[in-house]
Amino acid sequence: MQATLTFLGSGTSMGVPTLGCGCAVCNSALIPGSPNRRTRPSIQVSYGGHNVLVDTGPDFHAQAISEGIRSVDAVLYTHSHADHILGMDDLRPLSFATPEGIALYADDDTAQVIERVFEYTFRKVDRYPTSARVQIHRLGTATGTAVDLFGARFVRVPVIHGRNIIAGYRFGSAAYLTDMSDIPAESLPLLEGLDILILDALRREPHPSHSHLARSIELVEKIAPRRAFFTHISHDLDHESTNASLPDHIRLAHDGLKLDFEIPEIA
């Protein structure tokens, strides 16, 4: 089945322009339409009339307006850091349309943080009356754990994020691995035969919890997808000049970029 992946945000946790910074990339990001304008990282996967998000960052409200998002059917979470969960409350008006609400999927550690941060949404007594209508479903952390959503299978791909193991996801011929510093060997078989591979590439210099440009290029060559896109990009990487230095099958993502691919329909 045909699917479209939309980069709602392609930036790092501080966004681009970064507050207080006057570098050339941040200044160019102030120009309307600049590909250097990067909100916090998130994607939407659309297929068969359904919309599934991976993460809801603090810029989700603006991202949803920019992309004309009028419905969300489910959200998969990668981990519990602020730049990936703080937009959950912006699901509220979208959740009112269905009595069962929006399904959220996260590992237990991430679910606990979401329930703590948004306690007023999940409390059993004296619940805030216009809280988001959402239900958290716990995902296991075993390699290859999967959830079937609306005829498509989303497979959890464990990745290393500094000292933590968090979730990436494979869906059909695409995989989204944001916030990763490396990929454990046991996850590599889950990434075979990809059309699209999306990887963290924070900056040129190494970082303790994020992949840098050279390392991400090495991973692309190792995994060998047909095409690759880098996300979670800081103000250290200018869009046009960095793209000019990359192999033809690798590109920096940008906010609003749309990619078409195939998801096998499951019974």
Side-chain angles (χ1 to χ4, degrees):
M1 125 178 88
Q2 187 70 23
T4 300
L5 184 155
T6 302
F7 286 89
L8 302 181
S10 60
T12 183
S13 59
M14 291 186 284
V16 182
T18 301
L19 295 181
C21 182
C23 74
V25 172
C26 285
N27 283 337
S28 73
L30 297 171
I31 301 171
S34 169
N36 282 332
R37 176 75 174 99
R38 301 172 182 138
T39 58
R40 268 63 75 91
S42 176
I43 60 168
Q44 175 180 253
V45 182
S46 303
Y47 59 95
H50 296 283
N51 296 318
V52 175
L53 305 181
V54 181
D55 293 333
T56 50
D59 298 312
F60 176 65
H61 180 273
Q63 293 166 345
I65 292 172
S66 178
E67 294 302 323
I69 296 174
R70 302 182 67 86
S71 65
V72 171
D73 298 292
V75 184
L76 297 159
Y77 284 98
T78 59
H79 63 302
S80 63
H81 287 175
D83 54 323
H84 296 265
I85 70 167
L86 286 187
M88 193 285 289
D89 197 62
D90 289 325
L91 295 172
R92 283 194 301 154
L94 301 177
S95 74
F96 299 154
T98 55
E100 66 275 16
I102 298 172
L104 313 180
Y105 295 87
D107 60 45
D108 188 59
D109 288 347
T110 301
Q112 287 186 45
V113 173
I114 292 172
E115 288 170 335
R116 184 170 69 250
V117 171
F118 299 102
E119 181 272 339
Y120 57 87
T121 295
F122 296 99
R123 69 172 65 145
K124 302 300 182 185
V125 178
D126 193 28
R127 182 175 176 274
Y128 190 68
T130 56
S131 294
R133 295 175 183 167
V134 293
Q135 297 287 335
I136 290 191
H137 304 270
R138 259 70 170 177
L139 286 180
T141 57
T143 301
T145 295
V147 58
D148 295 341
L149 299 174
F150 319 111
R153 178 159 294 158
F154 291 77
V155 180
R156 187 181 191 276
V157 181
V159 296
I160 299 168
H161 182 29
R163 293 178 292 178
N164 300 311
I165 300 293
I166 68 165
Y169 293 97
R170 176 171 182 163
F171 31 93
S173 60
Y176 180 69
L177 311 179
T178 187
D179 282 45
M180 42 71 58
S181 50
D182 210 347
I183 302 172
E186 58 268 26
S187 292
L188 292 175
L190 299 175
L191 302 173
E192 295 176 353
L194 286 173
D195 174 15
I196 297 169
L197 173 63
I198 299 163
L199 291 178
D200 184 344
L202 182 72
R203 62 189 191 187
R204 295 189 184 276
E205 297 300 316
H207 186 278
S209 56
H210 293 275
S211 185
H212 60 289
L213 191 64
R215 176 58 177 154
S216 294
I217 294 170
E218 289 176 0
L219 287 169
V220 171
E221 297 309 317
K222 182 175 184 177
I223 297 168
R226 190 171 73 86
R227 47 188 173 152
F229 296 86
F230 294 157
T231 191
H232 205 285
I233 309 162
S234 78
H235 60 172
D236 291 345
L237 298 179
D238 172 70
H239 188 85
E240 291 187 5
S241 62
T242 303
N243 267 348
S245 72
L246 293 172
D248 289 343
H249 64 296
I250 303 175
R251 286 291 176 264
L252 297 187
H254 60 81
D255 290 24
L257 175 65
K258 293 181 177 1
L259 306 173
D260 293 329
F261 67 104
E262 290 290 329
I263 294 182
E265 189 167 3
I266 59 175

